[in-house]
């Protein structure tokens, strides 16, 4: 999980005698993708797990040696590599804005630069999914929304996407590994192939009800929807848990289905809709008699923004004359050097500013004396992982934090149209 230039940088720095200079790297986004009003931090728990496991075994060292990628001295360093530095950052589930110091990684240059690819590959994808998922949750209102996009991305990304969407407020997932690994509630009943397997739609419905009970959800649009609804109620009775609609003009079809269910006496049977939904399609269904949503492709691809645009930059390093702030200043890609700490300023419980204090490693005293909610927590301390942010408990914690952080945002944060970040980032 490493790009080659991380290894060649370490090799050259070891030769130059600069590899072990104390350094501070930072992960941040210069802008929000897709004109989003805010972003959602996700992937932090996965990152710290991967950092703890980050090792070079005999097979990896042999690969590097056979291809003459690094020197013997660097191979010896890699053979003993484990991250011994410290990381603090925004709590998982926190909302963020351009310039927010999402992760601050402290250690030697060699220790820190090694982690660029693994950190960005996780944070960029998971945060993109969580940001898109949050918009869908807002559009859905009080209606539950399930993640079901495993067949639209790679196998490990599917697990990560289910995790990120759940943190952002999705209620469950179809992905079994996400349920086993992260404690996310799972769901699923049947596809159209199950209906097609049987001689008749009625036979398929009876088989499903016999196996799962009348509280199950029956997929009624394999053939004619009205006929499917009538058959579903005849088989399961008026206590049928739900029907799923996966095709057609959903606002019209949902209204007709609700009317038919009520006429048949199935007034408590829920209607779930799927079929390539995104936040805009969900918003268009707000006035329709829909009880739940299932979203696949759009959530696992970030609804058009599959990466969050985060970068990993050296911002401070120690030299012969003490700490020195450093920053890239090329055209269109400027950065602000110096270690940073962040505070969210609130007025009457509503966020009005992201205040980022930049300076040297002694700036904690400035932040402690400011007004607002401090945004960063300790994730890794001298190589030791903070246990409260890991596993299923860490996911539950992040989900709760996300809900409270979004509740602080002003109402215009929930507009779906592209626009500027809902609060400004002010560097102090």
């Amino acid at each position: 999980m490493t790009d080659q230039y991380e290894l060649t940088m370490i090799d050259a720095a070891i030769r130059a005698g600069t590899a072990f200079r104390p350094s501070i790297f930072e992960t941040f986004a210069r802008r929000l993708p897709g004109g989003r009003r805010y972003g959602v931090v996700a992937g932090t728990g996965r990152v710290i797990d991967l950092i703890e496991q980050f090792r070079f075994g005999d097979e990896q060292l042999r690969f590097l040696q056979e291809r003459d990628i690094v020197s013997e001295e660097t191979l010896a360093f890699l053979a003993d590599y484990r991250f011994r530095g410290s990381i603090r950052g925004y709590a998982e589930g926190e909302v963020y804005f351009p310039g927010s110091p999402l992760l601050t990684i402290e250690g030697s240059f060699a220790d820190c630069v090694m982690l660029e690819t693994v950190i960005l590959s996780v944070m960029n994808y998971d945060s993109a999914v969580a940001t898109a998922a949050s918009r869908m949750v807002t559009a859905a209102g009080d209606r539950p929304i399930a993640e079901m996009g495993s067949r639209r991305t790679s196998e490990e990304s599917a697990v990560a996407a289910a995790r990120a969407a759940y943190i952002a407020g999705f209620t469950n997932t179809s992905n079994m590994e996400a349920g086993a690994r992260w404690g996310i509630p799972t769901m699923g009943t049947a596809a159209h192939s199950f209906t097609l397997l049987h001689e008749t739609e009625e036979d398929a419905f009876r088989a499903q009800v016999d196996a799962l009970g009348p509280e199950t959800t029956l997929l009624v649009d394999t053939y004619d929807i009205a006929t499917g609804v009538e058959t579903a109620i005849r088989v399961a009775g008026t206590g049928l848990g739900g029907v799923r609609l996966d095709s057609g003009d959903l606002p019209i079809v949902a209204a007709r289905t609700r009317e038919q269910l009520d006429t048949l006496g199935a007034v408590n049977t829920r209607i779930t809709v799927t079929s390539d939904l995104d936040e805009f399609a969900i918003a268009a269904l707000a006035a329709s008699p829909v009880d739940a949503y299932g979203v696949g492709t759009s959530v696992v691809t970030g609804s058009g923004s599959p990466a969050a645009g985060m970068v990993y930059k050296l911002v401070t390093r120690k030299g012969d004359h003490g700490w020195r702030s450093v920053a890239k200043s090329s055209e269109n890609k400027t950065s602000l050097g110096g270690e940073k700490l962040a505070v969210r300023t609130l007025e009457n419980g509503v966020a009005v500013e992201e205040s980022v204090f930049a300076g040297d490693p002694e700036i904690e005293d400035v932040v402690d004396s400011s007004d607002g909610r401090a945004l960063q927590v300790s994730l890794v301390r001298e190589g030791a992982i903070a246990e409260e942010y890991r596993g299923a408990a860490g996911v539950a914690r992040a989900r709760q934090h996300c809900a409270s952080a979004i509740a602080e945002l002003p109402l215009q944060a929930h507009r779906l149209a592209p626009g500027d970040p809902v609060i400004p980032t002010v560097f102090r």
Side-chain angles (χ1 to χ4, degrees):
M1 299 184 184
T2 313
D3 278 341
Q4 182 167 316
Y5 83 162
E6 291 152 22
L7 301 174
T8 54
M9 281 191 287
I10 291 171
D11 190 53
I14 286 176
R15 295 169 189 259
T18 55
F20 304 109
R21 284 182 170 176
S23 301
I24 299 176
F25 282 76
E26 182 181 292
T27 299
F28 64 94
R30 292 190 176 94
R31 62 191 63 85
L32 298 176
R36 308 280 165 83
R37 307 300 177 105
Y38 64 92
V40 175
V41 178
T44 315
R46 296 210 302 125
V47 161
I48 59 178
D49 282 343
L50 290 169
I51 287 173
E52 185 182 54
Q53 301 161 15
F54 201 101
R55 300 287 190 278
F56 288 82
D58 292 341
E59 183 179 354
Q60 289 80 39
L61 294 170
R62 186 165 52 251
F63 174 90
L64 296 173
Q65 186 177 42
E66 290 173 352
R67 286 156 180 78
D68 196 27
I69 292 173
V70 296
S71 66
E72 291 297 323
E73 187 177 3
T74 301
L75 287 172
F77 165 75
L78 297 177
D80 189 46
Y81 179 81
R82 64 182 294 271
F83 182 68
R84 296 176 174 86
S86 298
I87 301 175
R88 70 172 187 277
Y90 281 32
E92 189 161 20
E94 185 62 76
V95 299
Y96 75 92
F97 300 93
S100 295
L102 304 180
L103 291 178
T104 301
I105 302 93
E106 303 180 32
S108 73
F109 176 84
D111 280 342
C112 296
V113 79
M114 183 75 76
L115 302 179
E116 176 181 0
T117 297
V118 68
I119 286 175
L120 289 183
S121 63
V122 172
M123 299 295 289
N124 265 317
Y125 179 71
D126 290 33
S127 297
V129 170
T131 300
S134 176
R135 287 158 56 86
M136 297 173 197
V137 170
T138 294
D142 295 331
R143 298 167 178 173
I145 180 168
E147 184 282 318
M148 45 196 300
S150 296
R151 298 177 300 280
R152 298 296 186 267
T153 187
S154 67
E155 62 279 10
E156 279 298 324
S157 295
V159 184
R163 181 184 184 278
Y166 184 68
I167 287 171
F170 273 51
T171 48
N172 45 23
T173 179
S174 66
N175 188 283
M176 299 305 294
E177 181 62 21
R181 194 182 299 182
W182 303 109
I184 301 170
T186 58
M187 48 71 66
T189 51
H192 294 103
S193 61
F194 184 76
T195 300
L196 297 171
L197 168 69
H198 294 81
E199 294 300 323
T200 66
E201 188 173 52
E202 182 172 341
D203 289 344
F205 288 172
R206 289 193 184 281
Q208 184 174 328
V209 170
D210 286 346
L212 301 178
E215 66 274 11
T216 190
T217 296
L218 296 174
L219 180 59
V220 296
D221 72 337
T222 303
Y223 306 114
D224 176 72
I225 292 175
T227 301
V229 170
E230 189 277 327
T231 303
I233 301 305
R234 185 172 69 253
V235 169
T238 56
L240 175 64
V243 297
R244 177 161 75 96
L245 304 172
D246 190 52
S247 58
D249 190 332
L250 291 178
I252 295 174
V253 172
R256 289 175 177 170
T257 299
R258 181 74 271 158
E259 182 180 2
Q260 184 180 6
L261 288 169
D262 292 347
T263 299
L264 293 171
V267 294
N268 294 318
T269 298
R270 299 178 301 276
I271 297 175
T272 296
V273 297
T274 52
S275 186
D276 292 327
L277 299 180
D278 60 13
E279 60 265 49
F280 302 103
I282 293 170
L285 287 163
S288 298
V290 173
D291 298 288
Y293 304 97
V295 182
T297 303
S298 63
V299 69
V300 300
T301 58
S303 194
S305 297
M310 295 176 186
V311 295
Y312 187 88
K313 299 299 180 184
L314 178 65
V315 295
T316 304
R317 54 95 169 164
K318 200 170 187 178
D320 297 335
H321 304 289
W323 287 96
R324 177 184 175 186
S325 296
V326 295
K328 181 177 180 180
S329 59
S330 56
E331 187 176 354
N332 298 327
K333 286 190 175 182
T334 59
S335 302
L336 180 65
E339 185 183 17
K340 302 173 191 70
L341 293 176
V343 169
R344 184 151 305 140
T345 303
L346 307 173
E347 292 182 0
N348 298 318
V350 178
V352 296
E353 180 182 291
E354 190 94 337
S355 303
V356 178
F357 296 84
D360 58 36
E362 313 302 323
I363 59 177
E364 287 89 346
D365 294 340
V366 177
V367 176
D368 288 342
S369 64
S370 68
D371 295 326
R373 179 169 68 83
L375 295 171
Q376 292 152 313
V377 298
S378 177
L379 300 167
V380 182
R381 188 180 296 275
E382 296 180 351
I385 306 297
E387 292 296 326
E388 62 265 35
Y389 301 109
R390 307 177 76 174
V395 171
R397 181 187 187 120
R399 177 181 170 87
Q400 183 178 14
H401 186 83
C402 184
S404 62
I406 289 174
E408 291 177 347
L409 297 178
L411 289 177
Q412 55 266 38
H414 305 301
R415 295 175 181 169
L416 297 181
D420 294 328
V422 71
I423 64 172
T425 303
V426 178
F427 293 93
R428 301 190 182 281

